[in-house]
Structures are given as structure tokens and as C-alpha cells.
Amino acid sequence: MPIDMKKTPPTVTELTQQLIEFRDARDWRQFHSLKDLILSLNLEASELLELTQWKSEQAFEDEAKQEPMQQRLREECADVFLYLLLVAERSGIDIYAAAAEKIQANAVKYPVEKSRGKSTKYNKL
Ligand SMILES: [Mg+2]
């Protein structure tokens, strides 16, 4: 089912369903082992990282606000996100719940009064 971009953006559940339909229409599930999905996720994350290679922090920040870099970032972020959805689906993880739980866990690990303005790891706070 094609995505109508004029409508409200799809939910994560709808995106996952579209991905599954895309995959199954091509009979690609046979290639999507959990191991290879995780590998692909990391390859896409590396493509995202590659965009920063040989650039200073400030030069990259500036470049990222403009085309064509903004479009390249958009595409690589989407690749990472879509593989993450496939990893979650394949392993039966509710990615919404997992992300919400992680935010809560991080709030406990990094209480505001101890961590505000610090980059110190939680076990050293
Ligand atoms: Mg890519």
C-alpha cells in the first residue's frame, strides 16, 4: 500500500505493517534472519556515521542544516529506523514499550540533581 504523505504520518505500527508488506511482496523474509537484520541495522548506522567522516563538529553541524546533506541525513536515519523496526518485529519486541521503559530506566540512572550539565556515566555520578 503506497504511503499518502499528505495524510497524518503513519504510526510505528503502520510503518512496520508497510515494511512487512514490502518484504513479503518480494519474498525477502527468507533473507531477513534476526542476525542479518541486526547486521544491516549496523551497516546503515555506519552509513550515517560515514557522513561525518573527516569533518569538524561545527562544519558538520553547519552542513547538516542545508541540502544536500540534510536529505542524505534524512535517508540514512530512515534506513536505520526501518531496520530497527524489522529487528523489533522479528524478535517480538514492542519498540514503543521498550523505548518508554528505557527512558524511565535512564531517568532513574541519571537523576537530574546528580547529572544536570555533566557527561559522567551513571556509575560514576
Ligand atoms: Mg543507507
Side-chain angles (χ1 to χ4, degrees):
M1 173 177 30
I3 301 169
D4 183 352
M5 299 305 286
K6 292 177 189 145
K7 290 171 50 178
T8 308
T11 65
V12 166
T13 304
E14 290 166 341
L15 274 178
T16 302
Q17 188 56 41
Q18 288 167 5
L19 265 174
I20 298 306
E21 288 172 15
F22 175 93
R23 179 198 69 194
D24 290 347
R26 290 156 182 80
D27 192 23
W28 285 353
R29 189 179 193 281
Q30 60 184 313
F31 308 119
H32 285 192
S33 68
L34 183 56
K35 186 269 294 179
D36 280 322
L37 290 173
I38 292 171
L39 191 151
S40 299
L41 169 65
N42 279 270
L43 292 173
E44 293 298 346
S46 294
E47 289 180 14
L48 182 60
L49 182 61
E50 187 179 21
L51 299 178
T52 71
Q53 189 179 30
W54 313 124
K55 295 167 186 165
S56 72
E57 284 185 31
Q58 192 56 56
F60 186 67
E61 292 273 347
D62 294 343
E63 193 180 351
K65 293 174 189 158
Q66 305 165 30
E67 299 298 348
M69 182 55 77
Q70 190 161 71
Q71 180 61 26
R72 294 185 68 195
L73 272 170
R74 182 181 169 92
E75 290 174 9
E76 297 307 341
C77 286
D79 286 340
V80 169
F81 185 60
L82 294 175
Y83 269 117
L84 182 63
L85 292 181
L86 286 171
V87 168
E89 190 274 337
R90 184 72 186 209
S91 49
I93 291 168
D94 178 339
I95 194 67
Y96 263 131
E101 288 162 14
K102 194 67 182 184
I103 290 171
Q104 288 292 322
N106 286 340
V108 172
K109 272 191 196 167
Y110 294 97
V112 171
E113 61 275 11
K114 287 188 179 175
S115 57
R116 186 173 171 77
K118 298 178 187 168
S119 60
T120 313
K121 193 169 178 177
Y122 68 91
N123 60 356
K124 301 250 189 321
L125 284 171

